[in-house]
Coordinates of all heavy atoms in Angstrom, one line a residue:
M1 N 0.8 -1.2 0.0 CA 0.0 0.0 0.0 C 0.9 1.3 0.0 O 0.4 2.3 -0.5 CB -0.9 0.0 1.2 CG -2.0 1.0 1.1 SD -3.4 0.9 2.2 CE -3.4 -0.7 2.8
S2 N 2.1 1.2 0.5 CA 2.9 2.3 0.5 C 3.4 2.7 -0.9 O 3.8 3.8 -1.1 CB 4.1 2.1 1.4 OG 4.9 1.1 0.9
I3 N 3.3 1.8 -1.8 CA 3.6 2.1 -3.2 C 2.7 3.2 -3.8 O 3.2 4.0 -4.6 CB 3.6 0.8 -4.1 CG1 4.2 1.1 -5.5 CG2 2.2 0.3 -4.3 CD1 5.7 1.3 -5.4
L4 N 1.5 3.3 -3.3 CA 0.6 4.3 -3.7 C 0.9 5.7 -3.2 O 0.5 6.7 -3.7 CB -0.9 4.0 -3.3 CG -1.4 2.7 -4.1 CD1 -2.8 2.4 -3.5 CD2 -1.5 3.0 -5.5
T5 N 1.8 5.7 -2.2 CA 2.3 7.0 -1.7 C 3.7 7.3 -2.3 O 3.9 8.5 -2.6 CB 2.4 6.9 -0.1 OG1 1.2 6.6 0.4 CG2 2.9 8.2 0.4
I6 N 4.5 6.3 -2.4 CA 5.8 6.5 -3.0 C 5.8 6.8 -4.5 O 6.6 7.7 -4.9 CB 6.7 5.3 -2.6 CG1 6.9 5.2 -1.1 CG2 8.1 5.4 -3.3 CD1 7.5 3.9 -0.7
L7 N 4.9 6.2 -5.2 CA 4.9 6.3 -6.7 C 4.6 7.8 -7.1 O 5.4 8.3 -7.9 CB 3.9 5.4 -7.3 CG 3.7 5.4 -8.8 CD1 5.0 4.9 -9.4 CD2 2.5 4.6 -9.2
P8 N 3.6 8.5 -6.6 CA 3.4 9.9 -6.9 C 4.6 10.8 -6.5 O 5.0 11.7 -7.3 CB 2.1 10.3 -6.2 CG 1.4 9.0 -6.0 CD 2.5 8.0 -5.8
F9 N 5.1 10.5 -5.4 CA 6.3 11.3 -4.9 C 7.5 11.1 -5.9 O 8.1 12.1 -6.3 CB 6.7 10.9 -3.5 CG 7.9 11.6 -3.0 CD1 7.8 12.9 -2.6 CD2 9.1 11.0 -2.9 CE1 8.9 13.6 -2.1 CE2 10.2 11.7 -2.5 CZ 10.1 13.0 -2.0
F10 N 7.7 9.9 -6.3 CA 8.8 9.7 -7.3 C 8.5 10.3 -8.6 O 9.4 10.8 -9.2 CB 9.0 8.1 -7.4 CG 10.1 7.8 -8.4 CD1 11.4 7.9 -8.1 CD2 9.7 7.2 -9.6 CE1 12.4 7.6 -9.0 CE2 10.7 6.9 -10.5 CZ 12.1 7.1 -10.2
I11 N 7.3 10.2 -9.1 CA 6.9 10.8 -10.4 C 7.1 12.3 -10.4 O 7.7 12.9 -11.3 CB 5.5 10.4 -10.7 CG1 5.4 8.9 -11.1 CG2 5.0 11.3 -11.9 CD1 4.0 8.5 -11.2
V12 N 6.7 13.0 -9.3 CA 6.9 14.4 -9.2 C 8.4 14.8 -9.0 O 8.9 15.7 -9.6 CB 6.1 15.0 -8.0 CG1 6.4 16.4 -7.8 CG2 4.6 14.8 -8.3
L13 N 9.1 14.0 -8.2 CA 10.5 14.3 -7.9 C 11.4 14.2 -9.2 O 12.2 15.0 -9.5 CB 11.0 13.4 -6.8 CG 12.4 13.7 -6.3 CD1 12.4 15.0 -5.6 CD2 12.8 12.6 -5.3
E14 N 11.1 13.1 -10.0 CA 12.0 12.9 -11.1 C 11.5 13.5 -12.4 O 12.2 13.5 -13.4 CB 12.1 11.4 -11.4 CG 12.8 10.6 -10.3 CD 14.2 11.0 -10.1 OE1 14.9 11.3 -11.1 OE2 14.7 11.1 -8.9
K15 N 10.3 14.1 -12.4 CA 9.7 14.8 -13.5 C 9.7 13.9 -14.8 O 10.2 14.3 -15.8 CB 10.3 16.1 -13.8 CG 10.2 17.1 -12.7 CD 10.9 18.4 -13.0 CE 10.8 19.3 -11.8 NZ 11.5 20.5 -11.9
I16 N 9.2 12.7 -14.6 CA 9.2 11.7 -15.7 C 8.2 12.0 -16.8 O 8.5 11.9 -18.0 CB 8.9 10.3 -15.1 CG1 9.9 9.9 -14.1 CG2 8.8 9.3 -16.2 CD1 9.6 8.7 -13.3
F17 N 7.0 12.5 -16.4 CA 5.9 12.7 -17.4 C 5.6 14.2 -17.4 O 6.1 15.0 -16.7 CB 4.6 12.0 -16.9 CG 4.8 10.5 -16.8 CD1 4.9 9.9 -15.6 CD2 5.0 9.7 -18.0 CE1 5.0 8.5 -15.5 CE2 5.1 8.3 -17.9 CZ 5.2 7.7 -16.6
S18 N 4.7 14.5 -18.4 CA 4.3 15.9 -18.5 C 3.4 16.3 -17.3 O 3.0 15.5 -16.5 CB 3.5 16.2 -19.8 OG 2.2 15.5 -19.7
H19 N 3.1 17.6 -17.2 CA 2.3 18.1 -16.0 C 1.0 17.4 -15.9 O 0.6 17.0 -14.8 CB 2.2 19.6 -16.2 CG 1.4 20.3 -15.1 ND1 1.9 20.4 -13.8 CD2 0.1 20.8 -15.1 CE1 0.9 21.0 -13.1 NE2 -0.1 21.2 -13.8
W20 N 0.2 17.3 -17.0 CA -1.1 16.8 -17.0 C -1.1 15.3 -16.7 O -2.0 14.8 -15.9 CB -1.9 17.0 -18.3 CG -2.2 18.5 -18.4 CD1 -1.6 19.4 -19.2 CD2 -3.1 19.3 -17.6 NE1 -2.1 20.6 -19.0 CE2 -3.0 20.6 -18.0 CE3 -3.9 18.9 -16.5 CZ2 -3.8 21.6 -17.5 CZ3 -4.7 20.0 -16.0 CH2 -4.6 21.3 -16.5
I21 N -0.2 14.5 -17.2 CA -0.1 13.1 -17.0 C 0.3 12.9 -15.5 O -0.2 12.0 -14.9 CB 0.9 12.4 -17.9 CG1 0.4 12.5 -19.4 CG2 1.2 11.0 -17.5 CD1 1.3 12.0 -20.4
T22 N 1.2 13.7 -15.0 CA 1.5 13.6 -13.6 C 0.3 13.8 -12.7 O 0.1 13.1 -11.7 CB 2.6 14.6 -13.2 OG1 3.8 14.4 -14.1 CG2 3.1 14.5 -11.8
L23 N -0.5 14.8 -13.0 CA -1.7 15.1 -12.2 C -2.7 13.9 -12.3 O -3.2 13.5 -11.2 CB -2.4 16.3 -12.7 CG -1.8 17.7 -12.2 CD1 -2.5 18.8 -12.9 CD2 -1.8 17.8 -10.7
V24 N -2.8 13.4 -13.4 CA -3.8 12.2 -13.6 C -3.2 11.0 -12.8 O -4.0 10.3 -12.1 CB -3.9 11.9 -15.1 CG1 -4.6 10.5 -15.3 CG2 -4.7 12.9 -15.8
L25 N -2.0 10.7 -12.8 CA -1.4 9.6 -12.1 C -1.5 9.8 -10.6 O -1.8 8.9 -9.8 CB 0.0 9.4 -12.5 CG 0.3 8.8 -13.9 CD1 1.7 8.7 -14.2 CD2 -0.4 7.4 -14.0
I26 N -1.3 11.1 -10.1 CA -1.5 11.4 -8.7 C -2.9 11.1 -8.2 O -3.1 10.5 -7.2 CB -1.0 12.8 -8.4 CG1 0.5 12.9 -8.5 CG2 -1.4 13.2 -7.0 CD1 1.1 14.3 -8.4
F27 N -3.9 11.6 -9.0 CA -5.3 11.5 -8.7 C -5.7 10.0 -8.8 O -6.5 9.5 -8.0 CB -6.2 12.4 -9.5 CG -6.2 13.8 -9.0 CD1 -5.6 14.8 -9.7 CD2 -6.8 14.1 -7.7 CE1 -5.6 16.1 -9.2 CE2 -6.8 15.4 -7.2 CZ -6.2 16.4 -8.0
L28 N -5.1 9.3 -9.7 CA -5.4 7.8 -9.8 C -4.9 7.1 -8.6 O -5.7 6.3 -8.0 CB -4.8 7.3 -11.1 CG -5.1 5.8 -11.4 CD1 -6.6 5.6 -11.7 CD2 -4.3 5.4 -12.6
C29 N -3.7 7.4 -8.2 CA -3.2 6.8 -6.9 C -4.0 7.2 -5.7 O -4.3 6.4 -4.8 CB -1.7 7.1 -6.7 SG -0.6 6.3 -7.9
L30 N -4.5 8.4 -5.7 CA -5.3 8.9 -4.6 C -6.6 8.1 -4.5 O -7.0 7.7 -3.4 CB -5.6 10.4 -4.8 CG -6.7 11.0 -3.9 CD1 -6.1 11.4 -2.6 CD2 -7.3 12.2 -4.6
I31 N -7.3 8.0 -5.6 CA -8.6 7.3 -5.6 C -8.4 5.8 -5.3 O -9.2 5.2 -4.5 CB -9.3 7.4 -7.0 CG1 -9.6 8.8 -7.4 CG2 -10.5 6.5 -7.1 CD1 -10.5 9.5 -6.4
I32 N -7.4 5.2 -5.8 CA -7.1 3.7 -5.4 C -6.8 3.6 -4.0 O -7.3 2.7 -3.3 CB -6.0 3.2 -6.3 CG1 -6.4 3.1 -7.8 CG2 -5.5 1.8 -5.8 CD1 -5.3 2.7 -8.7
Q33 N -6.0 4.5 -3.4 CA -5.7 4.5 -2.0 C -6.9 4.7 -1.1 O -7.1 4.1 -0.1 CB -4.6 5.5 -1.7 CG -4.0 5.2 -0.3 CD -2.7 6.0 -0.2 OE1 -2.4 6.9 -1.0 NE2 -1.9 5.7 0.9
I34 N -7.8 5.6 -1.5 CA -9.0 5.9 -0.8 C -9.9 4.6 -0.7 O -10.4 4.2 0.3 CB -9.8 7.1 -1.3 CG1 -9.1 8.4 -1.0 CG2 -11.2 7.1 -0.8 CD1 -9.6 9.6 -1.6
L35 N -10.0 4.0 -1.9 CA -10.9 2.8 -2.0 C -10.3 1.6 -1.1 O -11.0 0.9 -0.5 CB -11.1 2.4 -3.4 CG -11.9 3.3 -4.3 CD1 -11.9 2.8 -5.7 CD2 -13.3 3.4 -3.7
I36 N -9.0 1.5 -1.2 CA -8.3 0.5 -0.3 C -8.5 0.8 1.1 O -8.8 -0.2 1.9 CB -6.8 0.4 -0.7 CG1 -6.7 -0.3 -2.1 CG2 -6.1 -0.4 0.4 CD1 -5.2 -0.3 -2.6
H37 N -8.4 2.0 1.6 CA -8.6 2.3 3.0 C -10.1 2.1 3.4 O -10.4 1.6 4.5 CB -8.3 3.8 3.2 CG -6.8 4.0 3.4 ND1 -6.0 4.7 2.5 CD2 -5.9 3.6 4.4 CE1 -4.8 4.7 2.9 NE2 -4.7 4.0 4.0
I38 N -11.0 2.4 2.5 CA -12.4 2.2 2.8 C -12.7 0.7 3.0 O -13.4 0.3 3.9 CB -13.3 2.8 1.7 CG1 -13.4 4.3 1.9 CG2 -14.7 2.3 1.8 CD1 -14.1 5.0 0.8
R39 N -12.1 -0.1 2.1 CA -12.4 -1.5 2.2 C -11.7 -2.2 3.3 O -12.2 -3.0 4.1 CB -12.0 -2.2 0.8 CG -12.2 -3.6 0.8 CD -13.7 -4.0 0.9 NE -13.8 -5.4 0.8 CZ -14.3 -6.1 1.8 NH1 -14.8 -5.6 2.8 NH2 -14.4 -7.4 1.7
L40 N -10.4 -1.9 3.5 CA -9.6 -2.7 4.4 C -9.6 -2.1 5.9 O -9.6 -2.9 6.8 CB -8.1 -2.7 4.0 CG -7.9 -3.5 2.7 CD1 -6.4 -3.5 2.3 CD2 -8.4 -4.9 2.8
F41 N -9.6 -0.8 6.0 CA -9.6 -0.2 7.4 C -11.0 0.1 7.9 O -11.2 -0.1 9.1 CB -8.7 1.0 7.4 CG -7.3 0.8 7.1 CD1 -6.7 1.5 6.1 CD2 -6.6 -0.2 7.7 CE1 -5.3 1.3 5.8 CE2 -5.3 -0.5 7.4 CZ -4.6 0.3 6.4
F42 N -11.9 0.5 7.1 CA -13.2 0.8 7.6 C -14.1 -0.5 7.5 O -15.2 -0.5 8.0 CB -13.9 1.9 6.8 CG -13.3 3.2 6.9 CD1 -13.4 4.2 5.9 CD2 -12.6 3.6 8.1 CE1 -12.8 5.4 6.1 CE2 -12.0 4.8 8.2 CZ -12.1 5.7 7.2
H43 N -13.6 -1.5 6.8 CA -14.4 -2.8 6.6 C -15.7 -2.5 6.0 O -16.7 -3.0 6.4 CB -14.5 -3.5 7.9 CG -13.2 -3.9 8.6 ND1 -12.4 -4.8 8.1 CD2 -12.6 -3.4 9.7 CE1 -11.3 -4.9 8.8 NE2 -11.4 -4.0 9.8
L44 N -15.7 -1.6 5.0 CA -16.9 -1.2 4.4 C -17.0 -1.8 3.0 O -16.1 -1.6 2.2 CB -17.0 0.4 4.3 CG -18.2 0.9 3.7 CD1 -19.4 0.6 4.5 CD2 -18.1 2.4 3.5
D45 N -18.0 -2.5 2.8 CA -18.3 -3.0 1.4 C -19.6 -2.4 1.0 O -20.3 -1.7 1.7 CB -18.4 -4.5 1.4 CG -19.4 -5.1 2.3 OD1 -19.9 -4.3 3.2 OD2 -19.6 -6.3 2.3
F46 N -19.9 -2.5 -0.3 CA -21.0 -1.8 -0.9 C -22.2 -2.8 -1.0 O -22.9 -2.8 -2.0 CB -20.6 -1.2 -2.2 CG -19.6 -0.1 -2.1 CD1 -18.3 -0.4 -2.4 CD2 -19.9 1.1 -1.6 CE1 -17.3 0.6 -2.3 CE2 -19.0 2.1 -1.5 CZ -17.7 1.8 -1.8
S47 N -22.4 -3.5 0.0 CA -23.5 -4.5 0.0 C -24.8 -3.7 0.4 O -24.8 -2.6 0.9 CB -23.3 -5.6 1.0 OG -23.2 -5.1 2.3
Y48 N -25.9 -4.4 0.2 CA -27.2 -3.8 0.5 C -27.4 -3.6 2.0 O -28.1 -2.6 2.4 CB -28.3 -4.7 0.0 CG -29.7 -4.1 0.2 CD1 -30.1 -3.1 -0.6 CD2 -30.6 -4.6 1.2 CE1 -31.4 -2.5 -0.5 CE2 -31.8 -4.1 1.4 CZ -32.2 -3.0 0.5 OH -33.5 -2.5 0.7
E49 N -26.8 -4.4 2.9 CA -27.0 -4.3 4.3 C -26.4 -3.0 4.8 O -26.8 -2.4 5.8 CB -26.4 -5.5 5.0 CG -27.1 -6.8 4.8 CD -26.7 -7.5 3.5 OE1 -25.6 -7.2 3.0 OE2 -27.5 -8.3 3.0
R50 N -25.3 -2.5 4.2 CA -24.6 -1.3 4.6 C -25.0 -0.1 3.8 O -24.2 0.8 3.6 CB -23.1 -1.6 4.6 CG -22.7 -2.7 5.5 CD -21.2 -2.9 5.5 NE -20.8 -4.0 6.3 CZ -20.2 -3.9 7.4 NH1 -19.9 -2.7 7.9 NH2 -19.8 -4.9 8.1
K51 N -26.2 -0.1 3.2 CA -26.6 0.9 2.3 C -26.5 2.3 3.0 O -26.1 3.3 2.4 CB -28.0 0.6 1.8 CG -28.5 1.7 0.9 CD -29.9 1.3 0.4 CE -30.9 1.4 1.5 NZ -32.3 1.3 1.1
W52 N -27.0 2.4 4.2 CA -27.1 3.7 4.8 C -25.7 4.3 5.2 O -25.5 5.5 5.2 CB -28.0 3.7 6.1 CG -29.4 3.6 5.7 CD1 -30.2 2.5 5.8 CD2 -30.2 4.5 5.0 NE1 -31.4 2.7 5.2 CE2 -31.5 4.0 4.8 CE3 -29.9 5.8 4.6 CZ2 -32.5 4.7 4.1 CZ3 -30.9 6.5 3.9 CH2 -32.2 6.0 3.7
I53 N -24.8 3.4 5.5 CA -23.4 3.8 5.8 C -22.8 4.4 4.5 O -22.1 5.5 4.6 CB -22.6 2.7 6.3 CG1 -23.2 2.2 7.7 CG2 -21.1 3.1 6.5 CD1 -22.5 1.0 8.3
V54 N -23.0 3.7 3.4 CA -22.5 4.2 2.1 C -23.1 5.6 1.8 O -22.4 6.5 1.3 CB -22.7 3.2 1.0 CG1 -22.3 3.7 -0.4 CG2 -21.9 1.9 1.3
I55 N -24.4 5.7 2.0 CA -25.1 7.0 1.7 C -24.6 8.1 2.6 O -24.4 9.2 2.1 CB -26.6 6.8 1.8 CG1 -27.2 5.9 0.7 CG2 -27.3 8.1 1.9 CD1 -28.6 5.5 0.9
S56 N -24.3 7.8 3.8 CA -23.8 8.8 4.7 C -22.4 9.2 4.4 O -22.0 10.4 4.5 CB -23.8 8.4 6.2 OG -23.0 7.3 6.4
I57 N -21.6 8.3 3.9 CA -20.2 8.6 3.4 C -20.3 9.5 2.2 O -19.5 10.5 2.1 CB -19.4 7.4 3.2 CG1 -19.0 6.7 4.5 CG2 -18.1 7.7 2.4 CD1 -18.3 5.4 4.4
I58 N -21.1 9.2 1.2 CA -21.3 10.0 0.0 C -21.8 11.4 0.4 O -21.3 12.4 -0.2 CB -22.2 9.3 -1.0 CG1 -21.6 8.0 -1.5 CG2 -22.6 10.2 -2.1 CD1 -22.5 7.1 -2.3
F59 N -22.7 11.5 1.3 CA -23.2 12.8 1.7 C -22.1 13.6 2.4 O -22.0 14.8 2.1 CB -24.4 12.6 2.7 CG -25.0 13.9 3.2 CD1 -25.7 14.7 2.3 CD2 -24.8 14.3 4.5 CE1 -26.2 15.9 2.8 CE2 -25.3 15.5 4.9 CZ -26.0 16.3 4.1
S60 N -21.3 13.0 3.2 CA -20.2 13.7 3.9 C -19.2 14.2 2.8 O -18.7 15.3 3.0 CB -19.5 12.7 4.9 OG -20.4 12.3 5.9
L61 N -18.9 13.3 1.8 CA -18.0 13.8 0.8 C -18.6 15.0 0.0 O -17.8 15.9 -0.4 CB -17.7 12.6 -0.1 CG -16.8 11.5 0.4 CD1 -16.7 10.4 -0.5 CD2 -15.4 12.1 0.8
L62 N -19.9 14.9 -0.2 CA -20.5 16.0 -0.9 C -20.4 17.3 -0.1 O -20.1 18.4 -0.7 CB -22.0 15.7 -1.2 CG -22.8 16.8 -1.9 CD1 -22.3 17.0 -3.3 CD2 -24.3 16.4 -1.9
I63 N -20.6 17.3 1.2 CA -20.5 18.5 2.0 C -19.1 19.0 2.0 O -18.8 20.2 1.9 CB -21.0 18.1 3.4 CG1 -22.5 17.8 3.4 CG2 -20.7 19.3 4.4 CD1 -23.4 18.9 3.0
I64 N -18.1 18.1 2.1 CA -16.7 18.5 2.1 C -16.3 19.2 0.8 O -15.7 20.2 0.7 CB -15.8 17.3 2.3 CG1 -15.9 16.8 3.8 CG2 -14.3 17.6 2.0 CD1 -15.2 15.5 4.1
I65 N -16.8 18.6 -0.4 CA -16.6 19.2 -1.7 C -17.2 20.6 -1.8 O -16.6 21.6 -2.3 CB -17.1 18.3 -2.8 CG1 -16.2 17.1 -2.9 CG2 -17.1 19.0 -4.1 CD1 -16.7 16.0 -3.8
I66 N -18.4 20.8 -1.3 CA -19.1 22.1 -1.3 C -18.3 23.1 -0.5 O -18.1 24.2 -0.9 CB -20.5 21.9 -0.8 CG1 -21.4 21.2 -1.8 CG2 -21.2 23.3 -0.5 CD1 -22.8 20.8 -1.3
I67 N -17.8 22.7 0.7 CA -17.1 23.6 1.6 C -15.8 24.0 0.9 O -15.4 25.2 0.9 CB -16.9 23.0 3.0 CG1 -18.2 22.9 3.7 CG2 -15.8 23.7 3.8 CD1 -18.1 22.1 5.0
L68 N -15.1 23.0 0.3 CA -13.8 23.3 -0.3 C -14.0 24.2 -1.5 O -13.2 25.2 -1.7 CB -13.1 22.0 -0.7 CG -12.4 21.3 0.4 CD1 -11.9 19.9 -0.1 CD2 -11.4 22.1 1.1
M69 N -14.9 23.9 -2.4 CA -15.2 24.8 -3.5 C -15.6 26.2 -3.2 O -15.2 27.1 -3.8 CB -16.2 24.1 -4.5 CG -15.8 22.8 -5.0 SD -14.2 22.9 -5.9 CE -14.7 23.7 -7.4
G70 N -16.4 26.3 -2.1 CA -16.8 27.6 -1.6 C -15.6 28.4 -1.1 O -15.5 29.6 -1.3
T71 N -14.7 27.7 -0.4 CA -13.5 28.4 0.1 C -12.7 28.9 -1.0 O -12.2 30.0 -1.0 CB -12.8 27.4 1.0 OG1 -13.6 27.0 2.1 CG2 -11.5 28.1 1.6
F72 N -12.4 28.0 -2.0 CA -11.6 28.4 -3.2 C -12.3 29.6 -3.9 O -11.6 30.5 -4.4 CB -11.4 27.3 -4.1 CG -10.5 26.2 -3.6 CD1 -10.7 24.9 -3.8 CD2 -9.4 26.5 -2.8 CE1 -9.9 23.9 -3.3 CE2 -8.6 25.6 -2.3 CZ -8.8 24.2 -2.6
W73 N -13.6 29.6 -4.0 CA -14.3 30.6 -4.7 C -14.2 32.0 -4.0 O -13.9 33.0 -4.6 CB -15.8 30.3 -4.9 CG -16.6 31.3 -5.6 CD1 -16.4 31.8 -6.8 CD2 -17.8 31.9 -5.0 NE1 -17.4 32.7 -7.1 CE2 -18.3 32.8 -6.0 CE3 -18.5 31.8 -3.8 CZ2 -19.4 33.6 -5.8 CZ3 -19.6 32.5 -3.6 CH2 -20.1 33.4 -4.6
V74 N -14.3 31.9 -2.7 CA -14.2 33.2 -1.9 C -12.8 33.7 -1.9 O -12.5 34.9 -2.1 CB -14.7 32.9 -0.4 CG1 -14.3 34.0 0.5 CG2 -16.2 32.7 -0.4
M75 N -11.8 32.8 -1.8 CA -10.4 33.2 -1.8 C -10.0 33.8 -3.1 O -9.3 34.8 -3.2 CB -9.5 32.1 -1.4 CG -9.6 31.7 0.0 SD -9.5 33.1 1.1 CE -8.4 32.4 2.3
N76 N -10.5 33.2 -4.2 CA -10.2 33.7 -5.5 C -10.9 35.1 -5.7 O -10.2 36.0 -6.3 CB -10.7 32.8 -6.6 CG -10.3 33.2 -8.0 OD1 -9.3 33.9 -8.2 ND2 -11.0 32.7 -9.0
N77 N -12.1 35.3 -5.3 CA -12.7 36.6 -5.4 C -12.0 37.7 -4.5 O -11.9 38.8 -4.9 CB -14.2 36.5 -5.0 CG -15.0 36.0 -6.1 OD1 -14.6 36.0 -7.3 ND2 -16.2 35.4 -5.8
L78 N -11.6 37.3 -3.3 CA -10.8 38.2 -2.5 C -9.5 38.6 -3.2 O -9.1 39.8 -3.1 CB -10.5 37.6 -1.1 CG -11.7 37.5 -0.2 CD1 -11.3 36.8 1.1 CD2 -12.2 38.9 0.2
N79 N -8.8 37.6 -3.8 CA -7.6 37.9 -4.5 C -7.8 38.8 -5.6 O -7.0 39.7 -5.9 CB -6.9 36.6 -4.9 CG -5.5 36.8 -5.4 OD1 -4.9 37.8 -5.0 ND2 -5.1 36.0 -6.3
H80 N -8.9 38.6 -6.3 CA -9.2 39.5 -7.5 C -9.7 40.9 -7.1 O -9.3 41.8 -7.7 CB -10.3 38.8 -8.4 CG -10.7 39.6 -9.6 ND1 -9.9 39.7 -10.6 CD2 -11.8 40.2 -9.8 CE1 -10.5 40.4 -11.6 NE2 -11.7 40.8 -11.1
N81 N -10.5 41.0 -6.1 CA -11.1 42.2 -5.7 C -10.2 43.1 -4.9 O -10.4 44.3 -4.9 CB -12.5 42.0 -5.0 CG -13.5 41.5 -6.0 OD1 -13.5 41.7 -7.2 ND2 -14.4 40.7 -5.4
I82 N -9.3 42.5 -4.1 CA -8.4 43.3 -3.3 C -7.0 43.2 -3.8 O -6.2 42.5 -3.3 CB -8.5 42.8 -1.8 CG1 -9.9 42.8 -1.3 CG2 -7.6 43.7 -0.9 CD1 -10.1 42.2 0.1
D83 N -6.8 43.8 -4.9 CA -5.5 43.8 -5.6 C -4.8 45.0 -5.2 O -5.1 46.1 -5.7 CB -5.7 43.7 -7.1 CG -4.4 43.4 -7.8 OD1 -3.5 42.9 -7.1 OD2 -4.4 43.5 -9.0
I84 N -3.8 44.9 -4.3 CA -3.1 46.0 -3.7 C -2.1 46.6 -4.7 O -1.8 47.8 -4.7 CB -2.5 45.6 -2.4 CG1 -3.5 45.2 -1.4 CG2 -1.6 46.7 -1.8 CD1 -3.0 44.7 -0.1
I85 N -1.5 45.7 -5.5 CA -0.4 46.2 -6.3 C -0.9 47.0 -7.5 O -1.7 46.9 -8.2 CB 0.4 45.0 -6.8 CG1 1.0 44.3 -5.6 CG2 1.5 45.4 -7.8 CD1 1.8 43.0 -6.0

């Protein structure tokens, strides 16, 4: 499992691929690592019996995405509107 952490670090450090391919590989390793953690550490499978747990995780992720995107939007507007230079 540590290969999913070491591989993106090595790719960025050695600059093997272009910028976009590097980003795609990093996000691919991220998604795979998240799924592995959900399955092995949370012992969560996507069966019908655990439907409400899966729904609550998806809802939590949606709230986190909304908060992050709102934060980026506010910070971008502040940077644009309060241009001191």
Side-chain angles (χ1 to χ4, degrees):
M1 192 165 346
S2 64
I3 190 70
L4 293 173
T5 304
I6 296 170
L7 181 67
F9 179 74
F10 179 73
I11 291 172
V12 171
L13 188 66
E14 296 297 323
K15 297 180 182 174
I16 298 172
F17 301 108
S18 70
H19 178 70
W20 291 109
I21 294 175
T22 301
L23 283 176
V24 168
L25 289 175
I26 289 172
F27 280 110
L28 183 66
C29 287
L30 169 84
I31 297 299
I32 292 171
Q33 193 167 13
I34 287 172
L35 291 175
I36 288 173
H37 280 111
I38 286 174
R39 178 67 180 118
L40 296 179
F41 296 129
F42 294 153
H43 303 289
L44 181 65
D45 54 353
F46 296 102
S47 64
Y48 184 75
E49 292 83 22
R50 298 182 185 251
K51 177 179 72 169
W52 288 110
I53 296 174
V54 173
I55 290 173
S56 65
I57 288 175
I58 292 171
F59 180 73
S60 300
L61 289 173
L62 178 67
I63 296 298
I64 290 170
I65 289 171
I66 290 171
I67 289 172
L68 287 175
M69 295 305 285
T71 302
F72 290 142
W73 178 57
V74 167
M75 293 306 228
N76 188 23
N77 281 337
L78 284 175
N79 188 30
H80 178 73
N81 293 332
I82 305 176
D83 193 13
I84 297 175
I85 297 175

